[in-house]
Tab-separated table of all heavy atoms in Angstrom:
chain	number	residue	atom	x	y	z
B	1	SER	N	-1.299	-10.900	14.422
B	1	SER	CA	-0.466	-9.975	15.157
B	1	SER	C	-0.514	-8.564	14.597
B	1	SER	O	0.123	-7.646	15.132
B	1	SER	CB	0.999	-10.470	15.161
B	1	SER	OG	1.485	-10.547	13.850
B	2	GLY	N	-1.282	-8.327	13.500
B	2	GLY	CA	-1.417	-7.007	12.967
B	2	GLY	C	-0.419	-6.610	11.918
B	2	GLY	O	-0.315	-5.426	11.568
B	3	LYS	N	0.364	-7.542	11.379
B	3	LYS	CA	1.441	-7.190	10.458
B	3	LYS	C	0.846	-6.709	9.139
B	3	LYS	O	1.425	-5.790	8.507
B	3	LYS	CB	2.392	-8.324	10.273
B	3	LYS	CG	1.766	-9.655	9.831
B	3	LYS	CD	2.842	-10.777	9.813
B	3	LYS	CE	2.195	-12.099	9.411
B	3	LYS	NZ	1.254	-12.593	10.422
B	4	THR	N	-0.237	-7.267	8.672
B	4	THR	CA	-0.903	-6.781	7.440
B	4	THR	C	-1.426	-5.364	7.636
B	4	THR	O	-1.286	-4.527	6.701
B	4	THR	CB	-2.026	-7.714	6.993
B	4	THR	OG1	-1.488	-9.028	6.793
B	4	THR	CG2	-2.665	-7.245	5.708
B	5	THR	N	-2.008	-5.078	8.768
B	5	THR	CA	-2.492	-3.712	9.054
B	5	THR	C	-1.309	-2.757	8.991
B	5	THR	O	-1.413	-1.646	8.509
B	5	THR	CB	-3.144	-3.681	10.436
B	5	THR	OG1	-4.308	-4.533	10.448
B	5	THR	CG2	-3.570	-2.275	10.789
B	6	SER	N	-0.160	-3.173	9.597
B	6	SER	CA	1.010	-2.315	9.560
B	6	SER	C	1.543	-2.110	8.135
B	6	SER	O	1.968	-1.011	7.750
B	6	SER	CB	2.101	-2.895	10.427
B	6	SER	OG	1.732	-2.986	11.786
B	7	LEU	N	1.467	-3.162	7.278
B	7	LEU	CA	1.918	-3.044	5.939
B	7	LEU	C	1.080	-2.001	5.197
B	7	LEU	O	1.630	-1.117	4.495
B	7	LEU	CB	1.792	-4.389	5.262
B	7	LEU	CG	2.175	-4.430	3.739
B	7	LEU	CD1	3.672	-4.179	3.553
B	7	LEU	CD2	1.754	-5.735	3.103
B	8	TYR	N	-0.240	-2.053	5.340
B	8	TYR	CA	-1.088	-1.088	4.675
B	8	TYR	C	-0.862	0.341	5.197
B	8	TYR	O	-0.937	1.323	4.440
B	8	TYR	CB	-2.534	-1.490	4.822
B	8	TYR	CG	-3.010	-2.547	3.805
B	8	TYR	CD1	-3.420	-3.780	4.211
B	8	TYR	CD2	-2.979	-2.258	2.443
B	8	TYR	CE1	-3.807	-4.741	3.302
B	8	TYR	CE2	-3.407	-3.215	1.552
B	8	TYR	CZ	-3.812	-4.467	1.935
B	8	TYR	OH	-4.188	-5.401	1.050
B	9	ALA	N	-0.611	0.452	6.490
B	9	ALA	CA	-0.325	1.757	7.010
B	9	ALA	C	0.941	2.326	6.407
B	9	ALA	O	1.006	3.552	6.141
B	9	ALA	CB	-0.208	1.678	8.579
B	10	CYS	N	1.951	1.505	6.257
B	10	CYS	CA	3.191	1.945	5.594
B	10	CYS	C	2.947	2.403	4.155
B	10	CYS	O	3.468	3.382	3.686
B	10	CYS	CB	4.216	0.847	5.643
B	10	CYS	SG	4.927	0.533	7.266
B	11	LEU	N	2.097	1.627	3.466
B	11	LEU	CA	1.776	1.951	2.057
B	11	LEU	C	1.056	3.333	1.985
B	11	LEU	O	1.358	4.207	1.124
B	11	LEU	CB	0.903	0.907	1.408
B	11	LEU	CG	1.594	-0.312	0.869
B	11	LEU	CD1	0.621	-1.380	0.435
B	11	LEU	CD2	2.518	0.084	-0.270
B	12	ARG	N	0.101	3.517	2.878
B	12	ARG	CA	-0.634	4.828	2.873
B	12	ARG	C	0.324	5.953	3.244
B	12	ARG	O	0.180	7.059	2.710
B	12	ARG	CB	-1.790	4.760	3.876
B	12	ARG	CG	-2.898	3.784	3.467
B	12	ARG	CD	-4.109	3.965	4.401
B	12	ARG	NE	-5.094	2.909	4.115
B	12	ARG	CZ	-5.202	1.749	4.791
B	12	ARG	NH1	-4.360	1.543	5.818
B	12	ARG	NH2	-6.102	0.862	4.508
B	13	GLU	N	1.216	5.705	4.142
B	13	GLU	CA	2.239	6.674	4.556
B	13	GLU	C	3.059	7.095	3.320
B	13	GLU	O	3.289	8.265	3.051
B	13	GLU	CB	3.119	6.153	5.648
B	13	GLU	CG	4.059	7.180	6.288
B	13	GLU	CD	3.312	8.128	7.223
B	13	GLU	OE1	2.270	7.763	7.754
B	13	GLU	OE2	3.870	9.249	7.431
B	14	LEU	N	3.529	6.088	2.588
B	14	LEU	CA	4.358	6.323	1.400
B	14	LEU	C	3.576	7.095	0.334
B	14	LEU	O	4.073	7.991	-0.309
B	14	LEU	CB	4.890	5.027	0.880
B	14	LEU	CG	6.037	4.371	1.677
B	14	LEU	CD1	6.187	2.960	1.252
B	14	LEU	CD2	7.320	5.155	1.477
B	15	ALA	N	2.315	6.709	0.127
B	15	ALA	CA	1.515	7.327	-0.876
B	15	ALA	C	1.262	8.790	-0.523
B	15	ALA	O	1.309	9.694	-1.409
B	15	ALA	CB	0.148	6.615	-1.041
B	16	ALA	N	1.020	9.067	0.754
B	16	ALA	CA	0.798	10.453	1.179
B	16	ALA	C	2.039	11.300	1.073
B	16	ALA	O	1.967	12.456	0.667
B	16	ALA	CB	0.274	10.463	2.609
B	17	ARG	N	3.184	10.747	1.430
B	17	ARG	CA	4.413	11.493	1.392
B	17	ARG	C	4.891	11.778	-0.065
B	17	ARG	O	5.414	12.846	-0.358
B	17	ARG	CB	5.549	10.725	2.105
B	17	ARG	CG	5.376	10.632	3.614
B	17	ARG	CD	6.576	9.844	4.180
B	17	ARG	NE	6.430	9.591	5.614
B	17	ARG	CZ	7.364	9.016	6.367
B	17	ARG	NH1	8.481	8.616	5.763
B	17	ARG	NH2	7.157	8.747	7.629
B	18	SER	N	4.655	10.824	-0.948
B	18	SER	CA	5.189	10.976	-2.274
B	18	SER	C	4.337	11.880	-3.150
B	18	SER	O	4.844	12.422	-4.150
B	18	SER	CB	5.263	9.621	-2.988
B	18	SER	OG	3.997	9.041	-3.185
B	19	ARG	N	3.049	12.043	-2.828
B	19	ARG	CA	2.105	12.906	-3.609
B	19	ARG	C	2.188	12.593	-5.077
B	19	ARG	O	2.216	13.496	-5.907
B	19	ARG	CB	2.450	14.365	-3.323
B	19	ARG	CG	2.321	14.800	-1.870
B	19	ARG	CD	2.521	16.310	-1.743
B	19	ARG	NE	3.861	16.686	-2.137
B	19	ARG	CZ	4.934	16.630	-1.398
B	19	ARG	NH1	4.850	16.139	-0.166
B	19	ARG	NH2	6.144	17.003	-1.848
B	20	GLY	N	2.256	11.302	-5.396
B	20	GLY	CA	2.218	10.846	-6.767
B	20	GLY	C	3.565	10.866	-7.465
B	20	GLY	O	3.649	10.567	-8.663
B	21	GLU	N	4.627	11.248	-6.786
B	21	GLU	CA	5.972	11.360	-7.409
B	21	GLU	C	6.744	10.047	-7.345
B	21	GLU	O	7.818	9.979	-7.909
B	21	GLU	CB	6.754	12.474	-6.729
B	21	GLU	CG	6.120	13.854	-6.902
B	21	GLU	CD	6.880	14.934	-6.174
B	21	GLU	OE1	7.829	14.601	-5.445
B	21	GLU	OE2	6.498	16.120	-6.291
B	22	ARG	N	6.225	9.033	-6.678
B	22	ARG	CA	6.840	7.713	-6.662
B	22	ARG	C	5.858	6.674	-7.151
B	22	ARG	O	4.665	6.765	-6.892
B	22	ARG	CB	7.360	7.330	-5.265
B	22	ARG	CG	8.356	8.282	-4.700
B	22	ARG	CD	8.746	7.881	-3.294
B	22	ARG	NE	9.640	6.742	-3.202
B	22	ARG	CZ	10.104	6.208	-2.077
B	22	ARG	NH1	9.745	6.729	-0.902
B	22	ARG	NH2	10.945	5.216	-2.069
B	23	SER	N	6.353	5.697	-7.876
B	23	SER	CA	5.512	4.610	-8.392
B	23	SER	C	5.404	3.528	-7.335
B	23	SER	O	6.416	2.895	-7.001
B	23	SER	CB	6.089	4.081	-9.689
B	23	SER	OG	5.368	2.920	-10.114
B	24	LEU	N	4.223	3.284	-6.793
B	24	LEU	CA	3.971	2.317	-5.761
B	24	LEU	C	3.109	1.192	-6.317
B	24	LEU	O	2.058	1.439	-6.914
B	24	LEU	CB	3.286	2.945	-4.572
B	24	LEU	CG	4.103	3.798	-3.593
B	24	LEU	CD1	4.533	5.122	-4.234
B	24	LEU	CD2	3.292	4.133	-2.328
B	25	ALA	N	3.547	-0.058	-6.106
B	25	ALA	CA	2.816	-1.199	-6.656
B	25	ALA	C	2.830	-2.359	-5.652
B	25	ALA	O	3.757	-2.481	-4.864
B	25	ALA	CB	3.391	-1.643	-7.974
B	26	THR	N	1.778	-3.204	-5.720
B	26	THR	CA	1.707	-4.343	-4.821
B	26	THR	C	1.342	-5.592	-5.623
B	26	THR	O	0.787	-5.548	-6.685
B	26	THR	CB	0.653	-4.171	-3.714
B	26	THR	OG1	-0.662	-4.294	-4.284
B	26	THR	CG2	0.767	-2.801	-3.058
B	27	LEU	N	1.670	-6.733	-5.008
B	27	LEU	CA	1.178	-8.038	-5.463
B	27	LEU	C	0.746	-8.754	-4.218
B	27	LEU	O	1.573	-9.083	-3.366
B	27	LEU	CB	2.243	-8.824	-6.211
B	27	LEU	CG	1.761	-10.116	-6.835
B	27	LEU	CD1	0.629	-9.890	-7.838
B	27	LEU	CD2	2.881	-10.888	-7.572
B	28	GLU	N	-0.552	-9.047	-4.144
B	28	GLU	CA	-1.153	-9.595	-2.923
B	28	GLU	C	-1.929	-10.839	-3.177
B	28	GLU	O	-2.289	-11.174	-4.319
B	28	GLU	CB	-2.066	-8.539	-2.297
B	28	GLU	CG	-1.374	-7.184	-2.057
B	28	GLU	CD	-2.267	-6.076	-1.639
B	28	GLU	OE1	-2.980	-6.241	-0.616
B	28	GLU	OE2	-2.384	-5.065	-2.362
B	29	ASP	N	-2.191	-11.610	-2.147
B	29	ASP	CA	-2.959	-12.821	-2.249
B	29	ASP	C	-3.811	-13.056	-0.991
B	29	ASP	O	-3.420	-13.781	-0.058
B	29	ASP	CB	-1.982	-13.995	-2.431
B	29	ASP	CG	-2.704	-15.308	-2.673
B	29	ASP	OD1	-3.897	-15.307	-3.108
B	29	ASP	OD2	-2.084	-16.389	-2.496
B	30	PRO	N	-5.029	-12.429	-0.921
B	30	PRO	CA	-5.609	-11.536	-1.939
B	30	PRO	C	-5.417	-10.075	-1.479
B	30	PRO	O	-4.771	-9.804	-0.473
B	30	PRO	CB	-7.089	-11.895	-1.814
B	30	PRO	CG	-7.244	-12.188	-0.308
B	30	PRO	CD	-5.977	-12.809	0.104
B	31	ILE	N	-5.972	-9.161	-2.303
B	31	ILE	CA	-5.985	-7.723	-1.904
B	31	ILE	C	-6.990	-7.602	-0.710
B	31	ILE	O	-8.104	-8.046	-0.841
B	31	ILE	CB	-6.424	-6.825	-3.091
B	31	ILE	CG1	-5.368	-6.883	-4.186
B	31	ILE	CG2	-6.666	-5.394	-2.624
B	31	ILE	CD1	-5.832	-6.166	-5.451
B	32	GLU	N	-6.521	-7.006	0.357
B	32	GLU	CA	-7.370	-6.948	1.530
B	32	GLU	C	-7.938	-5.560	1.835
B	32	GLU	O	-8.880	-5.391	2.565
B	32	GLU	CB	-6.581	-7.444	2.748
B	32	GLU	CG	-6.144	-8.891	2.593
B	32	GLU	CD	-5.289	-9.416	3.737
B	32	GLU	OE1	-4.889	-8.609	4.567
B	32	GLU	OE2	-5.030	-10.615	3.755
B	33	ALA	N	-7.326	-4.537	1.199
B	33	ALA	CA	-7.825	-3.167	1.369
B	33	ALA	C	-7.348	-2.337	0.188
B	33	ALA	O	-6.202	-2.496	-0.253
B	33	ALA	CB	-7.381	-2.549	2.721
B	34	ALA	N	-8.190	-1.457	-0.281
B	34	ALA	CA	-7.794	-0.567	-1.367
B	34	ALA	C	-7.034	0.645	-0.821
B	34	ALA	O	-7.458	1.244	0.155
B	34	ALA	CB	-9.024	-0.108	-2.145
B	35	VAL	N	-5.915	0.947	-1.465
B	35	VAL	CA	-5.070	2.099	-1.002
B	35	VAL	C	-4.950	3.036	-2.180
B	35	VAL	O	-4.332	2.719	-3.203
B	35	VAL	CB	-3.658	1.598	-0.589
B	35	VAL	CG1	-2.819	2.771	-0.100
B	35	VAL	CG2	-3.756	0.523	0.516
B	36	PRO	N	-5.547	4.214	-2.045
B	36	PRO	CA	-5.410	5.225	-3.152
B	36	PRO	C	-3.959	5.579	-3.432
B	36	PRO	O	-3.152	5.708	-2.511
B	36	PRO	CB	-6.185	6.437	-2.575
B	36	PRO	CG	-7.125	5.880	-1.556
B	36	PRO	CD	-6.361	4.708	-0.949
B	37	GLY	N	-3.636	5.705	-4.728
B	37	GLY	CA	-2.282	6.085	-5.118
B	37	GLY	C	-1.349	4.901	-5.258
B	37	GLY	O	-0.165	5.081	-5.563
B	38	VAL	N	-1.881	3.662	-5.084
B	38	VAL	CA	-1.041	2.455	-5.198
B	38	VAL	C	-1.648	1.551	-6.227
B	38	VAL	O	-2.886	1.305	-6.232
B	38	VAL	CB	-0.971	1.729	-3.877
B	38	VAL	CG1	-0.089	0.456	-3.995
B	38	VAL	CG2	-0.396	2.652	-2.777
B	39	ALA	N	-0.847	1.065	-7.186
B	39	ALA	CA	-1.338	0.095	-8.165
B	39	ALA	C	-1.288	-1.281	-7.544
B	39	ALA	O	-0.237	-1.892	-7.350
B	39	ALA	CB	-0.406	0.144	-9.434
B	40	GLN	N	-2.464	-1.810	-7.207
B	40	GLN	CA	-2.571	-3.076	-6.509
B	40	GLN	C	-3.018	-4.202	-7.435
B	40	GLN	O	-3.892	-4.029	-8.214
B	40	GLN	CB	-3.596	-2.971	-5.348
B	40	GLN	CG	-3.130	-2.001	-4.225
B	40	GLN	CD	-4.169	-1.796	-3.171
B	40	GLN	OE1	-4.955	-0.871	-3.220
B	40	GLN	NE2	-4.193	-2.697	-2.202
B	41	SER	N	-2.301	-5.345	-7.328
B	41	SER	CA	-2.618	-6.519	-8.114
B	41	SER	C	-2.744	-7.715	-7.223
B	41	SER	O	-2.217	-7.732	-6.100
B	41	SER	CB	-1.463	-6.792	-9.156
B	41	SER	OG	-1.295	-5.631	-9.976
B	42	GLN	N	-3.504	-8.709	-7.736
B	42	GLN	CA	-3.780	-9.898	-6.967
B	42	GLN	C	-3.366	-11.133	-7.707
B	42	GLN	O	-3.527	-11.242	-8.903
B	42	GLN	CB	-5.293	-9.918	-6.664
B	42	GLN	CG	-5.713	-11.095	-5.813
B	42	GLN	CD	-7.160	-10.907	-5.329
B	42	GLN	OE1	-7.490	-9.978	-4.596
B	42	GLN	NE2	-8.052	-11.870	-5.700
């Protein structure tokens, strides 16, 4: 249904808005796309 695509879009939105001023992290199973500015773990 596209929920993972929406999740990544929200992460990119947050990363762009924060300009590095917020700490963004994920825990995924598995990592499906790399998002600059986000500390991603699997």
Side-chain angles (χ1 to χ4, degrees):
S1 61
K3 54 187 179 295
T4 301
T5 298
S6 296
L7 177 68
Y8 278 116
C10 289
L11 278 173
R12 294 188 188 96
E13 189 75 24
L14 286 164
R17 291 181 186 183
S18 67
R19 299 185 299 277
E21 295 176 357
R22 299 176 78 180
S23 173
L24 284 69
T26 75
L27 184 59
E28 306 171 58
D29 185 20
I31 295 172
E32 298 176 353
V35 181
V38 180
Q40 294 175 265
S41 302
Q42 181 169 300

